[in-house]
Structures are given as C-alpha cells and as structure tokens.
Amino acid sequence: MNTTTIAVASGKGGTGKTTIATNLARVAEMQGFDVSYLDCDVEEPNGHIFLKPELEKTTSVFVPVPVVDEDKCITCGKCKEICQYSAIALLGKTVLTFPNLCHGCGGCVLVCPTGAITEAGREVGVIEEGIASGIKFVHGKLRIGEAMSPPLIREVRKKTTDGGLNIIDAPPGTSCPVIQSVRGADYVLLVTEPTPFGLNDLKLAVEMLRVLKLPFGVVVNRADVGNKAVFDYCDSESIEMLLQIPDDRRIAEAYSRGKLIIEALPEYTAAFELLLKGVTFAQPQS
Ligand code: SF4
Ligand code: SF4
C-alpha cells in the first residue's frame, strides 16, 4: 500500500492554511482514503476547531537537557565550546545550564571528559490523538512560553499512518519548525493570498521548497482581492496553480463558526475533490 504525505504550508499566518488542510482531509475521508490529519502548527494548533475530534490519548514530549555534577566537573569548558545554542556557560568555576535554550543534541554529554553531565527530560509540550469522524487526528501543543517546537513537531510527524494519506498542517513561515514539518512530504501545498505581502512570503516559501527539493503547487485564497502579481509570479516560475478560492463572505462566516467550507457550502466540494486529485495519484483504500 502507498503512503502519501501532503503538507500544507504558507509563507505567513492567516492565509487559510488550516482551512485548506482540514477540508482536504475531510474530502479525502469522504472518498474512502485512510486519512490522518497531523497538526504540526504546535504553537497555535486549530485544526481541531474544524474537525472536532474526540481526543483519546495525551502523551508528554520531553527533550533531554544536561545536568552537571559539580563534584565531577573540572571546569574545562568543553561543553560550553561545543554548544551551538549558548545553552551552557562557564562562570568562574561554575557551569550554568539554560534548559530553555537547549536543543537536546547531546553534544555536551559526549565531549565531557569526566562524565560530569547526565541528561534529564524537560517537557516541551504534549501530543493529543483521537478520531474525527473517520479521520485519525493528531496535534501537538507546545507549552506556553516554550520556544523549542521542532522536537514536538518531530513526534507529531512520527504518527503518520503507513499506507494511508497523511495531511500535515505545517506552521506558518519558513524557519526550522516549517522545515521539520514538510520534510519528507510527497507534495507541499502552499497557500497564499494575492497581495504584496502574500507574494513576498510565497517567494520565500518557494525558495525553501526548492532547496529541500520538494514538489509543490499553490492555492490562492481570496483570489479575487489584491492584484495579479502572485499569478504572474507563478506563471513566470512555472509553478502549478491548483486551486483559487474566491473572497466569499460565507466562507469567512463558516470559518468564524468553526465549520468546514464543504460542510457549510457543499458547492465547494468539487473544488476540493479536484485539489485532492491534483496532489495525489494514490487510490483510496476501500
Ligand atoms: S545538549 Fe546540545 S544544545 Fe543542549 S546544552 Fe548540550 S550541547 Fe547545548
Ligand atoms: S565538559 Fe564536563 S568537565 Fe568540562 S566544564 Fe563541562 S561539565 Fe565540566
């Protein structure tokens, strides 16, 4: 059986990324795909508002952070030197650690010549799993004030279903958390708006995906507002335009009520079916 992973990303927040990801997941489920929706937008997951899952399981996610045994430490400074994130410092004869900055790479443990460093788990967030009317639902929730989202995203990504269609809702932007979310996807859908800001962020996202060598296409939301620059750019770069969604007031209303577009406005179902066809050649499992 084929496993297909589609990531839905956007250069910036507020472009309708979750709207696309959740409607796509529902349409795929209606067509008989074995669908998993994985919300990697762990700072602000909101796919649950639209898919309304029954959550059944919560798991904490930890990153290993160093703990220094002062009795064994000879203050050689090797741990401080190797740490790329300034998460460990030497102040006089004392080693200070800054767990919030630590990426849990384990480098300091490896270089410590006296075995003075051990590791302790620091909780960065939780993963919640459940079922949303036939869709396997997973999201990560980063602890408030926590900056270290990639380890949590990595754990959400591990929940993909073998042999199924996995839809990843990526965080906005083009930094580490996004790369962690889209890595290994079979296709990336970039959601944008036809505005100067939309175009700017789209270009950055396209650059990122080209570096990652991932196939991608574009969905333009509120396609009839703004200007033509996004369309001209996609044309000139031969970027596939998969769907254009108009600025329909009823869509905004459905969104504000936590409704999927295809539930509130079934006339849009065919458009999402076409989008699904455009991003996967996989067949439903039933
Ligand atoms: S585990 Fe890595 S990131 Fe954390 S303090 Fe050690 S070297 Fe720095
Ligand atoms: S590497 Fe080990 S011995 Fe050296 S300063 Fe760090 S904790 Fe102390």
Side-chain angles (χ1 to χ4, degrees), residues 39-282:
D39 198 341
C40 290
D41 192 355
V42 298
E43 280 185 46
E44 218 181 330
N46 54 18
H48 63 283
I49 296 169
F50 304 96
L51 291 175
K52 302 180 175 46
E54 282 187 28
L55 298 172
E56 296 159 346
K57 189 177 165 197
T58 303
T59 324
S60 293
V61 175
F62 297 90
V63 291
V65 295
V67 177
V68 179
D69 180 342
E70 282 180 22
D71 292 340
K72 290 187 184 167
C73 176
I74 54 170
T75 58
C76 66
K78 289 201 163 105
C79 51
K80 170 186 171 287
E81 278 162 35
I82 198 172
C83 185
Q84 299 288 304
Y85 305 101
S86 306
I88 200 156
L90 202 58
L91 196 69
K93 294 234 169 277
T94 309
V95 176
L96 296 176
T97 59
F98 302 96
N100 285 339
L101 300 177
C102 173
H103 284 227
C105 71
C108 52
V109 182
L110 286 174
V111 296
C112 178
T114 65
I117 305 181
T118 51
E119 288 176 315
R122 183 172 72 82
E123 189 179 339
V124 289
V126 295
I127 291 182
E128 293 180 327
E129 299 171 65
I131 299 288
S133 306
I135 297 172
K136 179 180 155 190
F137 180 96
V138 184
H139 68 187
K141 286 168 87 176
L142 199 65
R143 256 184 46 186
I144 291 170
E146 174 59 57
M148 216 56 67
S149 64
L152 181 56
I153 292 170
R154 208 175 304 131
E155 293 305 312
V156 176
R157 281 293 311 258
K158 282 185 189 163
K159 302 285 179 183
T160 47
T161 303
D162 281 343
L165 175 64
N166 299 292
I167 296 181
I168 310 289
D169 196 341
T174 49
S175 57
C176 285
V178 184
I179 292 170
Q180 191 67 52
S181 304
V182 304
R183 180 176 280 159
D186 296 295
Y187 197 89
V188 181
L189 269 177
L190 283 176
V191 185
T192 189
E193 285 177 348
T195 61
F197 286 126
L199 176 61
N200 180 61
D201 294 318
L202 175 64
K203 284 181 178 172
L204 294 172
V206 165
E207 276 169 33
M208 171 190 76
L209 293 175
R210 285 188 169 148
V211 170
L212 295 172
K213 295 188 170 43
L214 291 174
F216 63 91
V218 164
V219 170
V220 182
N221 202 7
R222 295 187 271 273
D224 44 354
V225 298
N227 57 33
K228 273 181 72 248
V230 159
F231 301 96
D232 293 343
Y233 167 72
C234 289
D235 244 10
S236 66
E237 293 284 323
S238 305
I239 295 169
E240 201 172 359
M241 176 80 62
L242 291 146
L243 177 65
Q244 296 179 35
I245 300 177
D247 185 30
D248 186 336
R249 189 178 47 84
R250 297 172 307 159
I251 292 179
E253 278 170 12
Y255 184 89
S256 64
R257 281 184 283 121
K259 284 250 172 208
L260 290 172
I261 298 177
I262 59 166
E263 284 169 2
L265 305 163
E267 64 266 40
Y268 280 98
T269 307
F272 280 96
E273 284 170 354
L274 267 181
L275 178 63
L276 178 66
K277 224 170 161 184
V279 294
T280 173
F281 296 107

